[in-house]
């Protein structure tokens, strides 16, 4: 079955100079374009599929553009399900550009982003959840994430979804049978028995997934009043001098994203600007600006906090020398502000090195109970505790780092399934089996959304196969 | 119209009432509208059809109301969308009522004869040839041949041609259709023995009495009390019954491969139940009187084609039936059908203009399903003669729309019975609102008299007014309280209890419609949004005569199905078995870029679909 008539080409390795660059072709014309593009010795790549054959790519005048290893992969057992060609050439920009240009001259079309994977999906080589897993695999920033994406690519997400779908279809057929063949008795009990596996399968699935944000990596914003050491914390976590640190309060004006890997999880740390609190400031005004430049920076900071999966509120631990309660007050005020933005927050008291050891221990204990962390960005004391807490919070919100990655779209569909099942339970309690049936259909539609395909449950087939019905 | 069963009678009455000269051909005028199986009308998924028929001006609802001897509301304790009316009729009264309606209908002639061939001209069908040489010329022909088309009765290993016990089959038409290029297939159904009531001991069996109040199928009759007296009785098969049946399997036409036709899974014979559900040692049997006199009982649940001696023995192993006398044995009937994917949504044959098919010839089963198609075929035949556009009901409008769409789009492998789960918008397609849903169509079709239409409009207006009123009224007149409509959404609150307190004076029917509408509002609104999406897609037409094999990217299997079926819209194409979202995408892409639909026409779905 030929789904697409045109042949697409693109470089498969990242831009920039490297030792080797790979250019790929996919589509019905891949072989013809290869034959037209290269000069070969007695061994021709299209006669030796799946082997690397030394070839020269020539321009229209017959001049050699690059020497490459050419590999012809005949359909259908290829990534896209179509005829494919891979050319491994020299990694210079000019060489890659020239080879790609020649392929386009010969009738290939530049591939759109993700188009190879899309063709793989359209040609039935992989399901949509696998196709999405490929994107996650490419994006994976840590070993744990790679493992999760790999499991999804191996079809584990599909398998879990299959289990949920099966449970839902069984429950639906039980509900339908009770509506269509009402001789059967004690419907509520029998349908309840069938709903339990649905909830169990959904719970298992929920625990197994990692919800990936739109930008791919979760963002962690670091907020707090000026000069509490926000940038120092970022530098400590990233092990670089990414953020400019000065003793001058309010040095940071723009939110600077830094990519780090923490506890097996790739994430983006974002610094935000701070400001001197004014007298009578009840709201933690840490990021409100005073001048026009400040105002702009502060607006961006607020936006950063709103876009973040988790916001760290940093306070100085120094006042604890006099009164530990003052630090706790400052942290809880900051966390309330974050909660007001609808985000998750984590309190961090910095500059622990400025406290006498006894007070530091007491404060650490008090903070731990409140879920907050005592830290010294300067000495690194408490860094492990912070990393663990960040990972814990992200686990809670997104799922484990090595979970099966799901996109925003898929996570939304999972939410829809949960909502439908919750409604279904309520409806069943009230004896409204016909509404429960609608809820189960809705949940099945949700499974279809995660999978990227329509599901049409044939509850009649199931009923006839399972129940002794009829007059 | 060929065949005077439930489909044929509705088709003929519709055609004649719309003012066309109509002939109804039957093998035996004394067997018009016979109930070949149990004399019940309605039931789950089916009562909605009868209500829809009545909303459009069909006869079945009135006939069932007039001849009912037992009434039950099924699923009464469950949600209103799945409640159903079911009546048992006096079998003879029902047939007599329908025959009187047919014989008394101006413009309708009942013709006794055996239709054996079609007369076909260059423009399509031109009439029907009878065995005795007569020809009936017609602009349109509706075939409603039931189980008579190539019918064959199985009783044990004996097989005799016939359409019903003691009646001959209709031969000839199948080969005429095949000569014209129609594909045909074979289906099977069955019925149990009939028992002499005086030989049955009902004492000790569980009675199943009638409900005390009968809700009419007809929209023009109020609920009325049921005269007492007729009850059904429940009994069960025994391990001995099952042993006798197992012993008899060697002489079963089903289990010796004599029956090729596919039977209905939802209505298995007792031998099927015993074999397939071997772990169960008992199945329910309902003894249903077939008439007011209660002389004959229909044992619901033990349909069979085993030989008569086996039947007699197993029947007598059932409590209460120890001395039962079999008035006639049960049997299976195999008959020809014309796979309905060969029809347009108007029920007109694609390959032969003017020929309409309805009922079991389309692979369906059930009096209600047959009558519904009969009405639509009769109406559409009349509209074709008049040059009017056919009536095609949407899946979101009626069970009739769901059924016809299922048939012409997907076809069927077994006798097709309506189930509520076949309707995506089940919560909307209810018994209570059939007239409201189909009001616009009823006005357009024109089978109802002005007085009836006015009365129905009035009731619908009352429902609207009541719903609006409930949205504004607050309990006890307290301004801060939620509206009564909100209160009513709670499942435990019943409008019937609120109504007297509020001084609302409307009929029970109006009350129920308003209540159900309010209770389902949230769900229905969501389903309607889905339906709207569907109809937006449905609005995109597919050009006629498309060769889907020419479109790259559509698998051969799907291309063959689409080319045969020639769906008229995307929505119809989407429901073809095996259709994938990817193939639809390819199809839409192909049409956009080089399709036969000229750009600038209503590609994105206009009013014309």
């Amino acid at each position: 079955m030929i789904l697409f008539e045109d042949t697409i080409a693109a470089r498969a390795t990242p831009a920039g100079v490297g030792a080797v660059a790979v250019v790929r072709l996919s589509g019905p014309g891949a072989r013809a374009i290869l034959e037209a593009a290269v000069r070969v010795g007695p061994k021709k790549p299209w006669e030796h599929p799946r082997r690397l054959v030394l070839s020269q790519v020539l321009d229209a005048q017959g001049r050699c553009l690059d020497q490459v290893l050419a590999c012809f992969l005949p359909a259908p057992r290829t990534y896209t399900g179509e005829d494919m060609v891979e050319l491994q050439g020299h990694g210079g920009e000019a060489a890659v550009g020239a080879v790609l240009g020649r392929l386009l001259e010969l009738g290939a079309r530049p591939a759109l982003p993700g188009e190879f994977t899309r063709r793989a999906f359209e040609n039935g080589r992989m399901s949509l959840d696998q196709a999405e897993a490929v994107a996650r695999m490419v994006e994976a920033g840590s070993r744990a994430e790679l493992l999760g994406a790999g499991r999804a690519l191996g079809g584990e997400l599909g398998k879990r979804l299959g289990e949920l779908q099966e449970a839902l279809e069984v429950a639906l057929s039980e509900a339908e049978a009770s509506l269509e063949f009402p001789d059967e008795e004690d419907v509520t009990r029998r349908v309840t028995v069938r709903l339990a596996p649905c909830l169990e399968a959904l719970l298992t699935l929920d625990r197994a997934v990692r919800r990936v944000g739109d930008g791919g990596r979760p963002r962690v914003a670091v907020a707090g009043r000026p000069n509490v050491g926000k940038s120092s914390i970022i530098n400590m976590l990233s092990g670089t001098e990414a953020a400019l640190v000065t003793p001058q309060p309010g040095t940071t004006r723009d939110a600077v994203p830094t990519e780090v890997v923490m506890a097996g999880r790739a994430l983006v740390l974002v610094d935000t600007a701070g400001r001197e609190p004014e007298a009578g400031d009840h709201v933690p005004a840490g990021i409100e600006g005073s001048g026009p430049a400040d105002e702009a920076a502060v607006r961006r900071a607020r936006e950063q906090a709103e876009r973040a999966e988790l916001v760290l509120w940093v306070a100085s631990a120094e006042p604890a020398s006099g009164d530990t309660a003052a630090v706790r007050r400052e942290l809880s005020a900051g966390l309330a502000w974050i909660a007001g933005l609808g985000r998750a927050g984590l309190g961090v008291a910095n500059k622990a090195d400025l406290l006498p050891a006894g007070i530091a221990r007491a404060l650490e204990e008090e903070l731990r109970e409140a879920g907050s962390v005592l830290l010294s960005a300067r000495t690194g004391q408490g860094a492990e505790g912070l990393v663990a807490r960040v990972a814990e919070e992200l686990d809670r919100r997104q799922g484990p780092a090595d979970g099966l990655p799901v996109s925003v779209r898929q996570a939304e569909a999972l939410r829809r399934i949960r909502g439908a099942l919750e409604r279904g339970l309520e409806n069943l309690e009230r004896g409204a089996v016909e509404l429960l049936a609608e809820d189960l259909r809705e949940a099945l539609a949700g499974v279809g959304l995660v999978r990227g395909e329509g599901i049409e449950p044939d509850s009649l087939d199931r009923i006839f196969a399972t129940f002794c019905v009829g007059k | 119209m060929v065949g005077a069963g439930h489909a044929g009678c509705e088709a003929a009455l519709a055609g004649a009432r719309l003012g066309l000269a109509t002939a109804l051909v039957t093998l035996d005028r004394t067997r018009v509208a016979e109930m070949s199986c149990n004399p019940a009308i309605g039931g789950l998924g089916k009562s909605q059809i009868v209500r829809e028929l009545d909303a459009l001006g069909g006869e079945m609802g009135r006939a069932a109301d007039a001849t009912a001897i037992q009434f039950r509301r099924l699923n009464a304790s469950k949600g209103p969308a799945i409640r159903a009316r079911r009546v048992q009729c006096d079998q003879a009264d029902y047939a007599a009522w329908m025959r009187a309606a047919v014989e008394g209908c101006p413009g309708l002639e009942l013709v006794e004869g055996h239709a054996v061939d079609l007369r076909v001209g260059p423009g399509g069908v031109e009439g029907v040839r009878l065995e005795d040489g007569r020809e009936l010329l017609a602009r349109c022909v509706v075939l409603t041949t039931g189980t008579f088309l190539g019918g064959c009765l199985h009783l044990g290993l004996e097989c005799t041609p016939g359409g019903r016990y003691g009646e001959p089959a209709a031969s000839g038409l199948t080969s005429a259709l095949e000569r014209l290029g129609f594909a045909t297939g074979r289906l099977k159904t069955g019925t149990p023995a009939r028992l002499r009531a005086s030989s049955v001991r009902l004492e000790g069996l569980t009675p199943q009495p009638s409900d005390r109040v009968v809700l009419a199928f007809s929209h023009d009759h109020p609920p009325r009390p049921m005269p007492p007296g007729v009850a059904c009785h429940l009994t069960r098969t025994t391990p001995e019954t099952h042993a006798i049946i197992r012993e008899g399997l060697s002489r079963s036409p089903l289990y010796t491969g004599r029956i090729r036709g596919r039977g209905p899974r939802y209505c298995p014979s007792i031998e099927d139940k015993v074999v397939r559900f071997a772990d169960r040692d008992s199945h329910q049997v309902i003894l249903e009187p077939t008439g007011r006199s209660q002389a004959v009982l229909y044992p619901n649940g033990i349909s069979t084609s085993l030989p008569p001696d086996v039947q007699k023995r197993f029947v007598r192993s059932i409590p209460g039936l120890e001395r039962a006398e079999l008035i006639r044995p049960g049997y299976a009937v195999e008959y020809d059908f014309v796979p309905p994917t060969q029809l347009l949504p108007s029920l007109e044959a694609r390959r032969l203009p003017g020929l309409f098919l309805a009922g079991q010839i389309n692979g369906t089963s059930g009096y209600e399903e047959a009558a519904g198609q009969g009405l639509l075929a009769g109406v559409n035949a009349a509209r074709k003669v008049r040059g009017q556009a056919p009536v095609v009901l949407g899946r979101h409008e009626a069970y009739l729309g769901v059924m016809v769409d299922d048939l012409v789009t997907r076809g069927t492998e077994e006798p097709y019975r309506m189930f509520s789960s076949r309707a995506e918008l089940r919560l909307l397609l209810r018994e209570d609102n059939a007239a409201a849903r189909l009001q616009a169509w009823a006005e357009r079709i024109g089978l109802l008299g002005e007085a009836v239409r006015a009365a129905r409009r009035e009731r619908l207006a009352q429902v609207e007014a009541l719903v609006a009123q409930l949205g504004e009224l607050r309990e006890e007149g307290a301004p801060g309280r939620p509206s009564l409509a909100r209160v009513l959404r709670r499942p435990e609150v019943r409008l019937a209890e609120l109504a007297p307190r509020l001084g609302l004076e409307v009929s029970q029917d109006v009350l129920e419609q308003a209540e159900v509408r309010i209770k389902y509002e949230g769900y229905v609104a969501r389903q309607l949004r889905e339906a709207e999406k569907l109809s937006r897609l449905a609005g995109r037409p597919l050009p006629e005569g498309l060769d889907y094999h020419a479109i790259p990217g559509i698998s051969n299997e799907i291309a063959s199905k689409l080319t045969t079926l020639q769906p008229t819209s995307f929505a119809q194409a989407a429901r073809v078995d095996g259709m994938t979202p990817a193939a639809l995408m390819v199809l839409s892409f192909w049409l956009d870029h080089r399709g036969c639909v000229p750009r600038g026409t209503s590609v994105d779905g206009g009013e014309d679909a």
Side-chain angles (χ1 to χ4, degrees), chain A residues 320 323-329 331 349 358-374:
Chain A
D323 175 12
T324 54
V327 178
R328 280 185 286 128
R329 268 201 306 279
L331 285 179
I359 290 177
R361 266 196 303 280
L363 181 61
E364 186 175 17
E365 193 57 38
E366 285 172 27
L367 292 181
R368 185 180 305 131
E369 268 168 36
S372 293
V373 178
L374 180 65

Side-chain angles (χ1 to χ4, degrees), chain B residues 101-161:
Chain B
V102 166
E103 288 181 338
C105 180
L108 173 52
E109 190 187 345
L110 194 58
V111 177
E112 242 177 16
H114 182 186
V116 291
D117 202 358
L118 295 171
R119 194 182 138 132
V120 175
V125 75
E126 290 183 346
V128 176
R129 286 200 182 92
L130 304 186
E131 197 180 25
D132 58 15
R134 279 180 293 169
E135 281 199 347
L136 303 176
L137 299 186
R139 297 268 299 279
C140 286
V141 170
V142 182
L143 296 183
T144 57
T145 49
T147 56
F148 285 73
L149 191 64
C152 182
L153 309 181
H154 293 269
L155 190 53
L157 299 181
E158 268 175 48
C159 172
T160 46

Side-chain angles (χ1 to χ4, degrees), chain A residues 1-5 118 122 176 178-184 187 416 423-424 427 430-439 441-442 452-454 456 459-461 463-471, chain B residues 37-38 44 74-75 78-82 265-268 273 276-277 280 283-284 298 300-302 410 414 419-422 424 426-427 489 491 520 523 526-527 552-555 581-582 585-586 594:
Chain A
M1 176 175 109
I2 297 172
L3 196 53
F4 297 95
E5 284 191 318
R118 185 197 170 109
E122 301 288 353
E176 288 292 352
S178 80
L179 298 176
E180 310 269 23
F181 303 98
D183 285 345
E184 308 276 348
V187 175
R416 191 170 147 186
R423 264 200 318 278
N427 280 325
R430 296 165 22 192
V433 181
E434 82 281 18
L435 294 182
L436 166 70
E438 300 301 331
D439 298 324
R441 284 176 205 284
E442 166 96 9
E453 65 192 28
E456 260 194 73
S459 53
L460 289 176
D461 267 344
I463 290 171
F464 298 144
T466 336
F467 299 87
C468 180
V469 295
K471 54 184 185 182
Chain B
C37 204
N38 60 337
L44 299 166
L74 307 177
N75 275 343
K78 294 178 191 151
I82 37 141
R265 287 173 299 172
Y266 48 84
C267 190
K273 289 195 231 179
R276 289 194 46 222
F277 298 92
R280 298 181 61 159
H283 295 281
Q284 190 179 60
Y298 173 100
N300 191 334
I302 51 170
R410 302 201 140 163
E414 69 182 320
F419 289 103
S420 70
S421 56
R422 297 196 195 271
E424 299 78 0
R426 168 165 71 188
L427 299 183
R489 282 196 204 167
Y520 278 145
Y523 272 83
R526 200 172 63 210
Q527 293 194 330
I554 291 188
S555 77
M585 194 195 73
V586 168
R594 69 187 94 162

Side-chain angles (χ1 to χ4, degrees), chain B residues 539 602 605-609:
Chain B
S602 62
E607 293 298 286
D608 53 341

Side-chain angles (χ1 to χ4, degrees), chain A residues 1-6 28 82 121-124, chain B residues 547-560 562 578-590 594:
Chain A
M1 176 175 109
I2 297 172
L3 196 53
F4 297 95
E5 284 191 318
D6 50 358
E82 303 172 326
F121 166 63
E122 301 288 353
N123 286 320
Chain B
D547 178 8
Y548 290 85
H549 291 282
I551 304 174
I554 291 188
S555 77
N556 269 332
E557 189 199 340
I558 291 180
S560 299
L562 290 173
M579 193 71 187
T580 62
L584 275 181
M585 194 195 73
V586 168
L587 184 57
S588 127
F589 181 85
W590 189 84
R594 69 187 94 162

Side-chain angles (χ1 to χ4, degrees), chain B residues 473-481 502:
Chain B
L473 278 177
R474 288 167 209 273
E475 212 170 3
E476 316 294 325
R481 313 271 308 204
L502 298 168

Side-chain angles (χ1 to χ4, degrees), chain A residues 253-453:
Chain A
R253 278 289 176 275
D254 294 319
V256 185
T258 312
E259 295 197 6
V260 299
V261 175
M262 277 170 64
R265 192 188 282 275
L267 48 83
V268 179
L269 291 173
V270 190
D271 202 349
T272 63
R275 172 183 78 95
E276 282 293 347
E278 282 164 17
D281 233 353
H282 294 301
V283 204
I287 61 162
E288 313 291 320
S290 52
D294 278 339
E295 267 173 37
V298 160
R299 198 182 56 246
R300 280 197 297 276
R302 178 189 281 271
E303 284 166 11
Q304 290 296 347
E306 280 172 345
R307 281 174 58 202
E309 197 71 36
L310 178 66
V311 184
L312 306 186
W313 182 266
V314 184
S316 170
E318 211 179 346
S321 307
D323 175 12
T324 54
V327 178
R328 280 185 286 128
R329 268 201 306 279
E330 164 66 9
L331 285 179
S332 58
L335 292 173
W337 175 75
I338 292 163
L341 295 175
R343 312 313 303 165
L346 172 58
V348 182
N350 190 22
K351 308 191 182 179
D353 51 300
L354 298 180
L355 296 180
I359 290 177
R361 266 196 303 280
L363 181 61
E364 186 175 17
E365 193 57 38
E366 285 172 27
L367 292 181
R368 185 180 305 131
E369 268 168 36
S372 293
V373 178
L374 180 65
L375 176 79
S376 166
R378 204 168 63 80
T379 65
Q381 172 203 346
E384 274 171 31
L386 174 61
V387 168
R389 283 287 294 130
V390 168
E392 201 178 304
E393 284 299 318
L394 289 176
D395 272 10
R396 206 160 57 76
R397 296 185 56 79
Q398 292 199 307
D402 64 349
L404 304 166
V406 292
S407 65
V408 173
R409 179 187 67 75
Q410 290 172 312
E412 172 57 36
L414 286 173
R415 244 198 317 280
R416 191 170 147 186
I417 298 172
R418 195 177 318 117
L421 279 178
E422 280 163 8
R423 264 200 318 278
L425 277 172
E426 270 170 40
N427 280 325
L428 181 62
E429 249 164 55
R430 296 165 22 192
V433 181
E434 82 281 18
L435 294 182
L436 166 70
E438 300 301 331
D439 298 324
L440 289 170
R441 284 176 205 284
E442 166 96 9
L444 277 165
V447 173
L449 278 182
V450 181
R451 283 217 160 139
E453 65 192 28

Side-chain angles (χ1 to χ4, degrees), chain B residues 332-391:
Chain B
V333 54
E334 262 191 301
Y335 54 96
D336 295 326
F337 82 113
V338 178
T341 48
Q342 301 169 86
L343 301 180
L344 294 165
S346 59
L347 297 179
E348 186 179 9
R350 289 171 191 277
R351 63 172 55 246
L352 187 57
L355 179 70
F356 292 79
L357 307 182
Q360 278 166 309
I361 193 170
N362 286 341
T364 62
S365 146
Y367 311 144
E368 303 82 357
E369 288 86 346
Q373 292 167 68
L375 177 96
L376 291 173
V379 164
N380 282 336
R383 292 178 73 86
K384 184 173 176 90
V385 171
R386 290 250 162 84
Q388 295 166 318
V391 169

